[in-house]
Amino acid sequence: MTSVDLRTPGELAEAERYTAHNYHPLPVVITEGEGAWVTDVDGRRYLDFLAGYSALNFGHRHPALIAAAHAQLDRITLTSRAFVHDQFADFCRSLAELCGKELVLPMNTGAEAVETAIKVARKWGYRVKSVPDGQAEIIVAADNFHGRTTTIVSFSTDPDARADFGPYTPGFKIVPYGDETALREAITPNTVAVLMEPIQGEAGVLVPPTGYFAAMRALCDEHHVLMIADEIQSGLGRTGRTFAVEHEGVVPDMYVLGKALGGGIVPVSAVAADRDVLGVLKPGEHGSTFGGNPLACAVGREVVRLLATGEFQRRSAELGEHLHARLTALLGHGVVAVRGRGLWAGVDIDPALLTGRQACERLAERGVLAKDTHGSTIRLAPPLVVTADEIDHATAQLTAILGS
Ligand SMILES: *Cc1c(COP(=O)(O)O)cnc(C)c1O
């Protein structure tokens, strides 16, 4: 396959001109998408191996999700939580059942759900654990990614995400990811929660050592600390299970969900926990105008229904093995490391060959969309509807750019 030059259409220049430069997108202007594929303004087709950072786990425009959205658009889209609508209870019940938790609290974006988890953990700490007022501590991991709000970037270790955005919210302790001893030593009587990603996506799809989350669970039980799993990117089928913590046989006290929960249609996020935790919130203490709106609930309930079949988790597990086998074969041939689980991979390209950005540009020229993280690492996370042939096609393009 010969590579084509990516042209710079007017839309790109226009977007550059009128928007803040808080992103550095690949020069591809997309007009349509279906399943694992998108089409650009010049009619070129690309395999989407980013899938909206896992917001598109079910692919672009999954028919069942689009149908649910259409049906709801024809009925009612927004009420605010000042009133109850007829899509709310159904969504919340089905999501709670999927999580095996008693309660859910719906929000919109991932960062809002993380903020919700932080607020709930702090209030739980004061009201249930009797931590002295203002002293609650939450333990987080180095190289975390939990979103972009001022409180969340306060405990980021990425200078790009954090610098110049202070003053910072206190109350967070940062420990190395995957280090059980450091976690144990960081816990104090004022620790209310440990908040971590079961796999660190932004950091390069880092999988912690086996047993780390089980040890975290035991430490949290021992010290009366809430274990909070940020499954916004790792959850909802991405790793071959509904939740990535299942690989460790662990159940957290609180799940934080987002991205795929909105089916790639609307932003939908949520936290899920039992009544003894989420029950600490009373009317007026937390909320969101759009959280749990009728359109979000209609789409989110259909997402939960798709996940309840287990089909997507199965696909991710089986095709993930296929993807990882193809990628592992590239070790020593331009690839220096491969990590991940299910249809999710962090691939370290030999830095002598290409930066991650260059690799993604070359892949885009060959019709495969992926995203670099830091340095020479790229991440691959196709929609869970991808086929084995499509994986072969994408990895063949990766092979080609490493050999050229
Ligand atoms: C994307 C992401 C977030 C933030 O979600 P937004 O919807 O972008 O606010 C938080 N945590 C993790 C693990 C994520 O991947």
Side-chain angles (χ1 to χ4, degrees):
M1 186 177 171
T2 53
S3 67
V4 282
D5 279 342
L6 293 173
R7 278 192 276 141
T8 305
E11 283 84 354
L12 265 177
E14 197 84 337
E16 281 264 303
R17 179 158 173 210
Y18 288 109
T19 57
H21 292 173
N22 57 329
Y23 278 90
H24 181 34
L26 288 170
V28 175
V29 181
I30 296 166
T31 56
E32 281 175 36
E34 186 168 359
W37 293 84
V38 296
T39 306
D40 76 7
V41 285
D42 296 319
R44 271 194 301 259
R45 297 180 77 223
Y46 303 80
L47 257 176
D48 182 355
F49 260 56
L50 179 64
Y53 303 89
S54 293
L56 289 156
N57 277 2
F58 309 97
H60 294 271
R61 294 169 49 246
H62 187 288
L65 299 174
I66 293 294
H70 275 158
Q72 193 57 40
L73 282 171
D74 287 337
R75 298 177 66 240
I76 189 163
T77 54
L78 188 66
T79 58
S80 88
R81 294 281 308 276
F83 315 112
V84 182
H85 61 78
D86 66 358
Q87 304 296 303
F88 190 70
D90 230 20
F91 166 62
C92 295
R93 179 181 28 78
S94 65
L95 181 59
E97 283 171 6
L98 185 80
C99 297
K101 294 293 183 191
E102 291 169 351
L103 305 178
V104 302
L105 191 165
M107 297 291 281
N108 310 284
T109 66
E112 285 176 316
V114 172
E115 289 275 355
T116 302
I118 291 168
K119 288 172 72 175
V120 168
R122 285 177 170 182
K123 180 146 197 212
W124 175 88
Y126 300 127
R127 295 306 172 103
V128 179
K129 192 176 174 176
S130 302
V131 169
D133 190 35
Q135 302 297 306
E137 293 168 358
I138 295 176
I139 299 173
V140 297
D143 300 320
N144 67 72
F145 183 86
H146 296 288
R148 301 293 196 172
T149 63
T150 43
T151 285
I152 293 171
V153 302
S154 292
F155 58 86
S156 172
T157 59
D158 176 358
D160 289 343
R162 183 176 192 273
D164 292 336
F165 299 128
Y168 302 109
T169 306
F172 299 93
K173 251 191 192 171
I174 301 169
V175 296
Y177 188 63
D179 183 337
E180 184 187 327
T181 307
L183 178 59
R184 178 182 297 111
E185 288 171 355
I187 295 174
T188 75
N190 292 339
T191 305
V192 296
V194 176
L195 164 65
M196 287 192 196
E197 303 153 84
I199 291 177
Q200 289 189 319
E202 189 73 21
V205 195
L206 298 187
V207 182
T210 306
Y212 181 58
F213 273 75
M216 185 186 303
R217 179 68 276 178
L219 283 169
C220 287
D221 287 340
E222 187 185 333
H223 296 278
H224 201 211
V225 167
L226 297 178
M227 176 177 168
I228 305 174
D230 180 347
E231 293 260 14
I232 289 171
Q233 196 165 161
S234 59
L236 308 185
R238 175 51 59 191
T239 68
R241 303 284 181 91
T242 304
F243 303 108
V245 286
E246 289 175 53
H247 293 284
E248 294 257 348
V250 158
V251 177
D253 297 297
M254 212 179 327
Y255 290 102
V256 187
L257 303 172
K259 293 205 165 100
L261 193 55
I265 300 174
V266 278
V268 185
S269 67
V271 301
D274 282 338
R275 199 172 302 279
D276 57 345
V277 176
L278 258 184
V280 299
L281 289 181
K282 299 288 179 297
E285 294 177 350
H286 190 57
S288 156
T289 304
F290 290 93
N293 69 71
L295 183 59
C297 288
V299 171
R301 186 190 45 207
E302 194 60 25
V303 164
V304 172
R305 199 188 63 74
L306 290 179
L307 284 168
T309 68
E311 181 198 334
F312 293 89
Q313 295 88 324
R314 226 168 10 251
R315 287 190 71 85
S316 180
E318 288 168 14
L319 291 164
E321 285 203 15
H322 184 72
L323 172 68
H324 282 275
R326 287 280 183 268
L327 294 172
T328 306
L330 292 175
L331 285 170
H333 303 279
V335 167
V336 295
V338 178
R339 296 168 300 274
R341 260 187 180 137
L343 281 172
W344 200 14
V347 179
D348 295 346
I349 310 277
D350 181 350
L353 286 179
L354 295 167
T355 65
R357 173 76 188 187
Q358 287 168 333
C360 290
E361 285 170 354
R362 306 247 173 117
L363 284 172
E365 287 166 5
R366 291 175 160 272
V368 177
L369 299 181
K371 180 76 175 79
D372 52 307
T373 54
H374 302 103
S376 285
T377 301
I378 64 170
R379 63 180 124 192
L380 302 176
L384 310 183
V385 297
V386 75
T387 65
D389 285 347
E390 288 163 345
I391 290 170
D392 289 346
H393 175 69
T395 50
Q397 305 318 307
L398 181 60
T399 308
I401 66 157
L402 295 174
S404 59

